[in-house]
Amino acid sequence: SSSDMISQLKEIATQESVEIPPEVLRMISQNAKGSLRDGTNVLEQLITSYGSSIRIENARDFLGIQGEDRAIVFIKHLLTGATPQALETINVVSSEGYDLRAFQQTILSLLRAILLEKTGVPDVMDLSNDIAGQVTFLANSVSLPKIMHSIRLLNQFKHDDSVPGPMLFELAIVELDLR
């Protein structure tokens, strides 16, 4: 499980005398998709690259991911029908050179948290207080069908190098707005 991997990674970091925030351990775990070996390799590479004090920004840069802050802003725009702002957000993320696959995974994880919150499932994700508050707000503000449709739509596309930049994201955003 994710919490087991985070515990293992924390133990490794402690043995190596590395200061690492819990959020970085969670990011590594999510990036490794359940593979402790992959998670351990990422942690070792972070230690090699950044030394004994690893910051959240280091991990985001290293993993090529956007933080949950930008993802939750995107989700707010998406779920509230602010299509121009959602399109602008995805284009800014793309133009800054971030990995859109990783951004998509962050968005889907947060949409899952909103879905679970909406359906009354206890918080199963380790989110910061600010993000958790925004997840609760969105779960209370948006209809269940809209949340479910957003998840389905954003989960169905796979990034393809033959399609330029954020085009698939843009199509999904516009399609969601049309429904």
Side-chain angles (χ1 to χ4, degrees):
S1 79
S2 177
S3 60
D4 292 338
M5 183 184 299
I6 290 170
S7 295
Q8 292 277 22
L9 294 172
K10 184 176 183 176
E11 187 175 317
I12 293 168
T14 301
Q15 290 172 356
E16 299 287 328
S17 300
V18 173
E19 292 178 35
I20 189 163
E23 185 175 342
V24 171
L25 295 172
R26 188 171 50 82
M27 288 175 10
I28 294 170
S29 174
Q30 287 175 340
N31 183 266
K33 295 182 175 100
S35 168
L36 181 58
R37 180 178 299 176
D38 290 350
T40 303
N41 287 338
V42 169
L43 177 60
E44 289 173 358
Q45 292 172 9
L46 282 167
I47 293 169
T48 300
S49 298
Y50 299 102
S52 63
S53 182
I54 300 169
R55 298 187 336 240
I56 293 168
E57 298 78 26
N58 300 143
R60 285 183 180 152
D61 288 344
F62 183 82
L63 295 170
I65 60 174
Q66 282 291 300
E68 291 171 338
D69 294 337
R70 185 152 309 159
I72 201 77
V73 167
F74 172 80
I75 291 168
K76 279 183 193 175
H77 296 321
L78 186 72
L79 294 178
T80 60
T83 302
Q85 291 85 352
L87 290 167
E88 181 181 341
T89 301
I90 199 62
N91 276 285
V92 167
V93 169
S94 177
S95 69
E96 290 176 356
Y98 287 99
D99 181 353
L100 292 179
R101 287 180 189 92
F103 190 60
Q104 179 184 14
Q105 289 308 309
T106 302
I107 290 166
L108 287 169
S109 292
L110 289 171
L111 283 168
R112 175 179 174 257
I114 294 166
L115 174 72
L116 294 175
E117 180 78 23
K118 182 75 172 181
T119 57
V121 175
D123 181 17
V124 295
M125 295 181 65
D126 183 22
L127 301 172
S128 70
N129 289 339
D130 180 51
I131 298 295
Q134 293 180 63
V135 163
T136 299
F137 173 78
L138 287 167
N140 292 331
S141 305
V142 179
S143 73
L144 185 58
K146 179 94 171 187
I147 296 165
M148 293 170 54
H149 183 67
S150 299
I151 292 170
R152 284 190 192 108
L153 201 57
L154 288 172
N155 191 47
Q156 79 180 12
F157 73 85
K158 304 293 183 238
H159 292 279
D160 181 345
D161 291 336
S162 67
V163 178
M167 183 184 289
L168 295 174
F169 256 116
E170 293 165 341
L171 288 172
I173 293 164
V174 172
E175 183 175 331
L176 186 63
D177 187 49
L178 292 174
R179 291 191 181 194

